[in-house]
């Protein structure tokens, strides 16, 4: 794709930028919407995005979506991230929605996909205190109930957006095989036996512990096949890694632009600090890295759209690795170039850093992405 967007895509990007500038263009607006940067998701603004029809960008038309592809969804994520639109619920929502689209029953798709288009937030519960990168080690267990249905007990942790989700896509153990014993379940908000406790982080309120005690779920809560959860998770890695990459690509661009604006205006020794070679070279290197990340994310998204049934583990991992590491570097370099001002809450750079630094951890750490890439070469 490179920088060559279709006319429709160019208009879409322009509309998102205009929305972000109007709704979130000032620090005062962003602080009001996010509680001073503590909240990543604003329900009211998210509802506005739903009214514009943007939340269904890559969901099927029969469920109210726009019927676009991954490339369109990545453009949307990149631009709302760049514009600092507090729509943090979208990433987990679209990842979960694609799983329901692919594996859910018609009833589940009608409920979940149409809800996502209307503005419902979805969450995914996989990680546990003893199962992070090693998802196959999870212990949250779903057992057949004597009178029908399922009984679920266990704990999940680091669950993004569980506190504002309409439903959670829960991954639980239903068999003894490490990988062939996992199942996905549809868990509606407010289900008895579910307790959600927020985890305070340097990024504010984003993630949660989810405790499940004697949770009863009906037989039709299963998403896909019993004991087929691992295969279904693997089938969704293209979506998860690409969406996270696009999100951080937007943040990298924003951190870069904020840094460039600052070094153009800040003067020391009688001239703008950006005119010194040390900073010019940093800017040049960052610009190059961001452009590489942009081209990689968009090209992989196009490949996935062209072959929707094919897995791209190497390419999707490359996109996630490159974009997240670039975002972290852009925020760190931006803070260094801004000096003490980059460290203050008066400027957005410290907020960019808090958002970027965790991106190399969630959704598969950079180390895991490198391992996946290495193994794809037979190593």
């Amino acid at each position: 794709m490179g920088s060559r967007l279709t006319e429709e895509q160019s208009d879409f990007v322009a509309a998102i930028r205009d929305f972000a500038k109007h709704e979130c263009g000032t620090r005062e607006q962003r602080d009001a919407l996010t509680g001073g940067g503590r909240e990543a998701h604003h329900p009211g603004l998210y509802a506005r995005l739903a009214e514009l029809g943007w939340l269904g960008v890559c969901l099927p038309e029969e469920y109210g979506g726009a019927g676009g592809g991954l490339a369109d969804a990545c453009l949307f994520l990149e631009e709302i991230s760049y514009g600092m639109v507090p729509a943090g619920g979208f990433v987990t929502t679209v990842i979960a929605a694609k799983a329901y689209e692919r594996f859910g029953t018609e009833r589940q798709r009608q409920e979940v996909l149409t809800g996502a288009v209307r503005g419902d937030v979805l969450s995914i519960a996989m990680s546990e205190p003893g199962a992070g990168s090693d998802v196959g080690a999870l212990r949250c267990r779903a057992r057949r109930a004597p009178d029908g249905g399922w009984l679920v007990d266990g704990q999940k942790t680091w669950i993004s957006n569980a506190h504002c989700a309409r439903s959670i896509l829960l991954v639980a153990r239903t068999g003894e095989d490490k990988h062939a014993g996992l199942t996905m379940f549809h868990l509606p908000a407010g289900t008895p036996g579910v307790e959600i406790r927020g985890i305070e982080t340097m990024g504010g309120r984003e993630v949660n512990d989810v405790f499940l005690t004697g949770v009863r779920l009906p037989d039709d809560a299963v998403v896909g096949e019993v004991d087929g959860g691992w295969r279904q998770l693997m089938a969704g890695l293209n979506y998860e890694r690409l969406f996270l990459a696009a999100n951080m690509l937007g943040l990298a661009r924003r951190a870069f632009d904020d840094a460039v604006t600052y070094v153009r205006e800040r003067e020391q020794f009688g001239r703008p600090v950006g005119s010194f070679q040390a900073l010019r070279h940093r800017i040049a290197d960052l610009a190059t890295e961001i452009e590489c990340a942009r081209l990689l994310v968009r090209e992989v998204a196009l490949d996935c759209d062209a072959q929707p049934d094919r897995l791209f583990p190497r390419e999707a991992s490359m996109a996630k690795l490159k974009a997240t590491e670039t975002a972290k570097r852009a925020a760190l370099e931006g803070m260094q170039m801004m000096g003490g001002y980059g460290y203050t809450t008066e400027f957005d750079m410290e907020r960019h850093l808090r958002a970027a630094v965790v991106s190399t951890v969630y959704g598969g750490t950079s180390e895991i992405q490198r391992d996946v890439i290495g193994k794809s070469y037979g190593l």
Side-chain angles (χ1 to χ4, degrees):
M1 180 186 292
S3 59
R4 296 178 297 278
L5 304 180
T6 66
E7 182 177 353
E8 185 178 8
Q9 287 173 328
S10 295
D11 290 343
F12 183 42
V13 167
I16 301 168
R17 290 177 180 174
D18 184 66
F19 178 91
K21 182 178 180 180
H22 184 267
E23 300 293 338
C24 318
T26 69
R27 180 59 182 265
E28 291 74 21
Q29 286 175 309
R30 294 192 293 274
D31 281 346
L33 290 167
T34 63
R38 285 189 49 77
E39 299 289 342
H41 184 82
H42 189 276
L45 200 64
Y46 199 67
R48 297 270 311 281
L49 295 173
E51 290 171 2
L52 291 166
W54 293 346
L55 299 184
V57 57
C58 65
L59 297 182
E61 293 180 357
E62 59 263 40
Y63 303 105
L70 294 190
D72 300 312
C74 285
L75 286 174
F76 177 67
L77 275 164
E78 180 185 346
E79 292 303 328
I80 63 172
S81 180
Y82 179 87
M84 299 184 73
V85 178
F90 181 75
V91 175
T92 55
T93 297
V94 71
I95 293 171
K98 298 303 285 186
Y100 282 97
E101 177 188 340
R102 193 161 187 170
F103 301 109
T105 64
E106 180 58 27
R107 184 192 64 78
Q108 289 169 343
R109 289 195 294 268
Q110 284 289 345
E111 175 187 342
V112 175
L113 299 186
T114 58
V117 171
R118 292 195 306 265
D120 289 351
V121 172
L122 309 176
S123 182
I124 310 167
M126 288 188 289
S127 295
E128 296 179 8
S133 298
D134 186 7
V135 177
L138 64 81
R139 301 175 62 184
C140 175
R141 183 170 290 275
R143 297 179 176 84
R144 293 281 189 182
D147 54 349
W150 298 86
L151 285 173
V152 186
D153 291 278
Q155 178 187 349
K156 297 292 181 178
T157 194
W158 311 119
I159 309 307
S160 300
N161 301 312
H163 59 294
C164 57
R166 178 62 64 90
S167 63
I168 296 173
L169 182 61
L170 173 70
V171 184
R173 178 160 299 286
T174 50
E176 299 309 316
D177 188 279
K178 180 173 182 178
H179 293 137
L182 305 179
T183 302
M184 290 181 173
F185 292 91
H186 175 61
L187 178 65
T191 298
V194 178
E195 180 185 359
I196 297 173
R197 300 180 194 169
I199 300 172
E200 288 298 320
T201 72
M202 63 189 292
R205 177 72 188 274
E206 301 174 288
V207 293
N208 308 268
D209 282 317
V210 178
F211 298 90
L212 304 108
T213 307
V215 174
R216 296 187 65 92
L217 293 175
D219 286 324
D220 61 5
V222 172
V223 179
E225 299 177 3
V226 174
D227 295 336
W230 178 261
R231 176 183 57 80
Q232 294 167 200
L233 286 171
M234 294 303 102
L237 289 182
N238 288 351
Y239 304 117
E240 179 181 19
R241 291 172 181 169
L242 266 176
F243 294 152
L244 294 174
N247 197 40
M248 285 299 109
L249 173 60
L251 188 147
R253 288 178 45 220
R254 181 58 181 258
F256 174 83
D257 284 356
D258 286 355
V260 170
T261 297
Y262 181 86
V263 301
R264 281 174 177 163
E265 298 173 352
R266 171 69 169 171
E267 292 192 0
Q268 289 287 277
F269 305 103
R271 57 178 171 147
V273 297
S275 66
F276 291 99
Q277 186 183 69
L279 267 64
R280 281 206 313 269
H281 285 189
R282 274 184 167 164
I283 291 295
D285 287 344
L286 276 179
T288 303
E289 293 301 309
I290 291 170
E291 182 66 7
C292 289
R294 184 178 70 87
L295 293 172
L296 179 59
V297 169
R298 295 187 180 180
E299 195 65 29
V300 176
L302 278 179
D303 287 343
C304 290
D305 282 339
Q307 302 178 69
D309 294 324
R310 179 185 163 191
L311 296 181
F312 289 86
R314 176 194 300 172
E315 295 84 354
S317 286
M318 284 179 172
K320 201 272 183 181
L321 173 66
K322 183 64 175 178
T324 57
E325 290 289 349
T326 299
K328 184 168 70 173
R329 178 182 173 187
L332 281 168
E333 293 276 18
M335 180 171 286
Q336 187 70 28
M337 287 187 282
M338 292 177 66
Y341 288 106
Y343 191 63
T344 69
T345 57
E346 177 185 353
F347 291 86
D348 287 320
M349 194 59 69
E350 59 85 27
R351 192 174 296 183
H352 299 331
L353 180 59
R354 288 189 285 115
V357 73
V358 73
S359 70
T360 60
V361 175
Y362 60 48
T365 65
S366 291
E367 291 76 14
I368 289 294
Q369 305 307 327
R370 292 185 178 101
D371 206 39
V372 170
I373 296 165
K375 286 180 178 179
S376 75
Y377 289 99
L379 302 175

